[in-house]
Amino acid sequence: LIASGFVERPSRAQHEASGARAAGALDRANRNAANTGLVRAVLCAGLYPNVIHIEYGVGGKGVGRARFVEKSGEVTIHPASSNHRRDAFETDWLVYHD
């Protein structure tokens, strides 16, 4: 989180003044920094409430066209989107902005 700028690194004076307490706070703030799945989930949930699930037909990823579904039903990808003609994705979820 510090490397991304999300959490500020305390100054040397602040760090020395608070000693182990500051070090413990940094450890707590960064304890999930290596958990990319969690970081992605938090960013998606917080920044992009519009999420669609990708469903694949018989044969799975890369075979046939993918179907995009949200809670209100099937959605289509805009023809100008870089995802419009793709048949397979890294995950089964996409976020969008309308």
Side-chain angles (χ1 to χ4, degrees):
L1 294 174
I2 290 172
S4 70
F6 189 73
V7 175
E8 289 185 28
R9 180 178 299 278
S11 70
R12 186 179 230 12
Q14 289 172 323
H15 182 69
E16 290 173 359
S18 59
R21 185 172 152 210
L26 288 175
D27 290 341
R28 286 189 305 279
N30 283 314
R31 72 174 160 235
N32 288 305
N35 186 344
T36 56
L38 177 63
V39 172
R40 285 180 183 176
V42 168
L43 289 173
C44 285
L47 299 174
Y48 302 101
N50 300 319
V51 178
I52 56 175
H53 186 249
I54 304 168
E55 295 179 355
Y56 297 96
V58 178
K61 289 184 179 182
V63 180
R65 296 294 295 162
R67 204 174 141 233
F68 306 97
V69 181
E70 67 172 2
K71 60 185 171 190
S72 64
E74 188 169 346
V75 297
T76 57
I77 302 296
H78 192 279
S81 170
S82 60
N83 291 318
H84 180 67
R85 297 233 179 251
R86 292 190 62 184
D87 292 327
F89 298 85
E90 290 180 32
T91 74
D92 291 338
W93 301 93
L94 287 177
V95 294
Y96 66 93
H97 186 275
D98 54 357

